[in-house]
């Protein structure tokens, strides 16, 4: 007997919810244990990440604790990551201006920390590019997304390159530069076909 699609969707959603709650419970148990301050910061940041969509107040509370503890220990990588996670919370709340400020400060710290964290830094560039796009600041969006593309290209990270180039196509279209938009859209499609990432390819066409 075939199950109705709605029922299947419900079962999947319920399963995902249980898995999410399991992750939250696990991280909260870890936080109750005897951790070093650095490990506590990183666990708080994980908790902020898994609660961003469904428990945003807990996500925000976790990132504020991570930020304070990072500052106390002069753990600059933790400060940069905390500011990035704060930017995501603000982005989720559609507070684009403050999201841009937090992401920009995060990138400034990452740059001081050197090239070893460029991959992490590129993630912040991506969301800063998205925030600029939402703020209709398309030239700044293009600058950030180009940075993502270049950094991820150096790691041969095709999936991230595709995401960046798709949003570049959107930004160029908003600026009225349709020729460049088509070039970027085609590039995204070609990258997707070459990597068999057809799900991402669909975004660009």
């Amino acid at each position: 007997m075939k199950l109705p699609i709605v029922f299947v969707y419900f079962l999947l959603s319920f399963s995902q919810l249980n898995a999410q709650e399991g992750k939250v419970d696990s991280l909260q148990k870890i936080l109750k244990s005897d951790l070093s301050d650095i490990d506590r910061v990183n666990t708080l940041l994980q908790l902020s990440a898994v609660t961003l969509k469904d428990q945003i107040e807990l996500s925000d509370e976790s990132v504020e604790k991570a930020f304070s503890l990072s500052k106390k220990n002069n753990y600059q990588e933790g400060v940069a990551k905390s500011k990035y996670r704060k930017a995501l919370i603000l982005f989720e709340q559609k507070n684009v201006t403050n999201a841009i400020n937090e992401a920009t400060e995060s990138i400034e710290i990452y740059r001081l920390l050197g090239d070893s964290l460029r991959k992490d830094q590129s993630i912040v560039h991506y969301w800063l590019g998205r925030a600029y796009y939402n703020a209709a600041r398309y030239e700044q969006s293009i600058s950030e997304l180009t940075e993502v593309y270049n950094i991820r290209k150096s790691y041969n990270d095709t999936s991230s390159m595709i995401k960046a180039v798709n949003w570049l196509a959107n930004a160029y279209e908003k600026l009225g530069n349709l020729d460049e938009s088509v070039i970027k859209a085609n590039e995204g499609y070609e990258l997707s076909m070459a990597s068999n990432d057809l799900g991402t390819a669909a975004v660009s066409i």
Side-chain angles (χ1 to χ4, degrees):
M1 181 180 69
K2 291 184 179 180
L3 294 173
I5 292 175
V6 172
F7 184 67
V8 172
Y9 178 78
F10 172 78
L11 288 177
L12 289 172
S13 298
F14 186 74
S15 175
Q16 290 171 350
L17 179 61
N18 283 340
Q20 178 82 356
E21 289 177 350
K23 288 179 183 178
V24 172
D25 289 344
S26 177
L27 289 168
Q28 288 178 324
K29 286 178 182 177
I30 292 171
L31 288 169
K32 291 177 181 177
S33 64
D34 186 19
L35 296 172
S36 70
D37 283 352
I38 303 305
D39 286 341
R40 187 169 298 278
V41 166
N42 291 327
T43 305
L44 284 164
L45 291 171
Q46 288 181 55
L47 182 58
S48 178
V50 300
T51 55
L52 175 62
K53 296 292 185 181
D54 300 319
Q55 301 179 61
I56 199 164
E57 289 184 2
L58 177 56
S59 181
D60 195 33
E61 177 185 324
S62 300
V63 84
E64 291 293 344
K65 289 179 180 177
F67 176 76
S68 296
L69 200 52
S70 296
K71 291 283 285 185
K72 176 184 174 183
N73 287 273
N74 195 30
Y75 177 38
Q76 291 303 301
E77 183 178 344
V79 174
K81 288 180 177 179
S82 297
K83 285 190 166 293
Y84 159 62
R85 295 238 61 94
K86 183 68 175 183
L88 287 185
I89 291 167
L90 292 164
F91 186 87
E92 189 72 15
Q93 294 171 329
K94 304 189 188 311
N95 187 344
V96 178
T97 299
N98 286 331
I100 288 170
N101 292 339
E102 292 288 344
T104 300
E105 290 177 13
S106 175
I107 289 170
E108 289 172 355
I109 296 168
Y110 270 121
R111 283 178 173 150
L112 293 174
L113 293 172
D115 289 344
S116 64
L117 295 172
R118 284 184 80 230
K119 201 168 187 178
D120 288 345
Q121 179 185 324
S122 71
I123 299 171
V124 191
H125 282 292
Y126 173 77
W127 285 104
L128 181 55
R130 292 282 303 275
Y132 276 134
Y133 182 91
N134 283 14
R137 295 166 64 177
Y138 302 118
E139 291 181 353
Q140 290 99 323
S141 180
I142 288 168
S143 176
E144 297 301 326
L145 293 166
T146 301
E147 188 78 9
V148 177
Y149 181 90
N150 291 335
I151 292 174
R152 291 294 172 150
K153 186 176 182 179
S154 70
Y155 291 99
N156 199 29
D157 182 357
T158 304
S159 180
S160 295
M161 290 165 63
I162 293 167
K163 289 179 182 178
V165 85
N166 286 337
W167 280 100
L168 281 166
N170 293 338
Y172 277 114
E173 181 181 10
K174 289 292 186 180
L175 286 174
N177 189 340
L178 298 184
D179 289 343
E180 192 64 30
S181 178
V182 169
I183 289 170
K184 295 300 181 186
N186 286 339
E187 183 178 358
Y189 180 75
E190 289 168 4
L191 284 168
S192 299
M193 293 296 289
S195 65
N196 294 319
D197 193 354
L198 298 180
T200 310
V203 177
S204 66
I205 55 177

